[in-house]
Amino acid sequence: NIMANNKNSRKRRKKKKSRKLLLFVFEVLLLAVLLLVAYFVSMMNRIKYENLDESEAGINSDLDENTILSLEGYTNIALFGLDNRSSNNYDRGNSDVIMIASINNQTKDIKLVSVYRDTYLSVGNGSYNKSNAAYAHGGAQQAVQMLNSNLDLDIKEYVCVDWAAMVEVIDDLGGLDLEITEGEMNQINKYKKDVDLVTGKSTPNVTQYGLVHLDGTQATTYARIRKLAGDDFKRASRQRIVLQAIMEKAKKADFGTLTSICNSVIDDISTSLSITEILSLAKDVASYNIASTTGFPFELTTEHLAGSGDTVIPADLATNVVELHKYMFDDETYTLSSTVQTISDAIVYKTGITSESAKINTSDYNETAGATGTDGIKKSTDTQQSVTN
């Protein structure tokens, strides 16, 4: 009996010890999770963000009911890249990068739309000017309002980056492998000094072209090139190519690298996204896929306008916005709001450019999905490069 009791006692102690060990392991895991959450919350709290409601975002109040339903299936985020020649200054400045990332909430497919920075649009307060003037006059909020009011969109979230933030992200990812031409190599070497002045780096020359490895400064300078064939239309393509390359590299990065990136740039960006929203997007990063990209407007011409200079003019805005909703949301039944129609009519009145005007063909610069350089852009089947009627 005594032996039996001792045996049972040992079993109970062993079981108790096992329970204590399991409890200890559980507590350690719980503590690790709590520390991880606390770490991310503390990091995210360092981001400057401001939530926009519908009124602040300038969402048109006369959107068609079907348009509202169509938009509900997507998360639309505005991306602004600032050319401020300084670091972490997001109150004002020209937004030389204006992109819309439209995420299909079901498939996680992303469509990237570059709005050409010189596009003549309503920029707020009754003014018509280049689209990048909206940020210069009223910061991110006015720039978001400009996109929503002109394009019948429902953007309430934005992310702003400057050169310094881009350089940090790319360097933390270990650089990018891009296909560059000899002309692009020369342009990188000529203008990298502008980025170095902001970051304090001393970046070496790129000595080869073709498939090359670019560091943060070199890749950021590549995204700024516009003094080659294709001008600003092709520059917008380069910007999308760099963003795609960053995303593909981030999808393959380990947790430590991504943590390092967050820590490096958290003080250097401005966004409306809350902690919860950022974490919600981040948890799905591996499933995101850039399915298609384009430049906007689709139908356009260029003119020198008094007060605005060399300007991209939609031909006309109404035609382009209908095409945009088909492209972004597969919406074949989209109906223009009276707000957009009024803006479109005003642009026609102010510029004389209509949907019947001669247009510049930019279709060869649009689809960059899957391209690692401008030579890899999917070309239009239309071989005419300059002007169509």
Side-chain angles (χ1 to χ4, degrees), residues 77 79 98-103 109-115 239-244 247 289-296 324 327-328 366-369:
I77 302 172
L79 310 172
I98 304 173
M99 277 192 219
I100 303 159
S102 184
I103 306 169
D109 280 347
I110 299 172
K111 289 181 180 175
L112 280 181
V113 179
S114 295
V115 177
Q239 291 164 355
R240 297 196 299 277
I241 287 166
V242 168
L243 189 62
Q244 290 164 193
M247 184 172 167
N289 172 52
I290 296 178
S292 181
T293 81
T294 192
F296 180 89
L324 182 69
Y327 171 79
M328 288 178 77
N366 287 342
E367 186 55 87
T368 61

Side-chain angles (χ1 to χ4, degrees), residues 74-80 99-103 111-113 144 147 154-160 271-273 277 281 288 328:
Y74 299 82
T75 300
N76 299 311
I77 302 172
L79 310 172
F80 301 112
M99 277 192 219
I100 303 159
S102 184
I103 306 169
K111 289 181 180 175
L112 280 181
V113 179
V144 169
L147 292 172
D154 64 347
I155 300 166
K156 289 194 280 188
E157 315 296 354
Y158 64 82
V159 178
C160 308
T271 180
S272 64
L273 292 165
E277 288 163 334
L281 289 170
Y288 292 135
M328 288 178 77

Side-chain angles (χ1 to χ4, degrees), residues 101-284:
S102 184
I103 306 169
N104 184 311
N105 294 332
Q106 279 194 321
T107 66
K108 305 301 180 190
D109 280 347
I110 299 172
K111 289 181 180 175
L112 280 181
V113 179
S114 295
V115 177
Y116 299 125
R117 63 172 191 157
D118 291 336
T119 308
Y120 193 72
L121 296 172
S122 168
V123 294
N125 305 316
S127 291
Y128 286 76
N129 207 331
K130 294 180 180 183
S131 57
N132 69 351
Y135 201 112
H137 293 155
Q141 183 174 327
Q142 191 162 327
V144 169
Q145 289 173 354
M146 175 271 296
L147 292 172
N148 285 331
S149 61
N150 285 277
L151 307 180
D152 269 348
L153 296 177
D154 64 347
I155 300 166
K156 289 194 280 188
E157 315 296 354
Y158 64 82
V159 178
C160 308
V161 297
D162 57 17
W163 294 352
M166 285 290 290
V167 170
E168 280 189 80
V169 168
I170 295 167
D171 279 342
D172 282 347
L173 282 169
L176 304 176
D177 295 323
L178 299 178
E179 296 260 4
I180 64 169
T181 64
E182 184 177 8
E184 288 169 337
M185 179 191 74
N186 292 334
Q187 289 288 298
I188 291 169
N189 292 336
K190 185 176 180 180
Y191 291 105
K192 63 183 170 62
K193 65 182 185 296
D194 295 344
V195 181
D196 278 345
L197 281 172
V198 173
T199 62
K201 294 177 182 287
S202 181
T203 304
N205 280 343
V206 181
T207 56
Q208 292 178 304
Y209 54 94
L211 181 62
V212 297
H213 186 76
L214 301 181
D215 67 18
T217 302
Q218 294 161 348
T220 300
T221 308
Y222 166 83
R224 296 183 57 229
I225 296 170
R226 64 185 175 90
K227 293 189 176 179
L228 295 174
D231 303 315
D232 215 43
F233 306 122
K234 207 163 187 177
R235 170 157 85 160
S237 298
R238 292 186 186 95
Q239 291 164 355
R240 297 196 299 277
I241 287 166
V242 168
L243 189 62
Q244 290 164 193
I246 289 172
M247 184 172 167
E248 289 308 308
K249 201 85 183 275
K251 283 164 72 170
K252 296 169 186 171
D254 59 32
F255 176 75
T257 302
L258 293 175
T259 301
S260 174
I261 292 167
C262 286
N263 214 16
S264 293
V265 302
I266 217 73
D267 291 323
D268 296 327
I269 68 172
S270 175
T271 180
S272 64
L273 292 165
S274 70
I275 298 161
T276 306
E277 288 163 334
I278 289 170
L279 292 176
S280 176
L281 289 170
K283 72 178 172 59
D284 293 325

Side-chain angles (χ1 to χ4, degrees), residues 1 3-14:
N1 284 340
M3 286 180 65
N5 286 337
N6 286 340
K7 197 173 180 181
N8 288 335
S9 179
R10 281 197 301 273
K11 278 185 181 177
R12 281 196 299 273
R13 282 199 302 273
K14 194 173 180 182

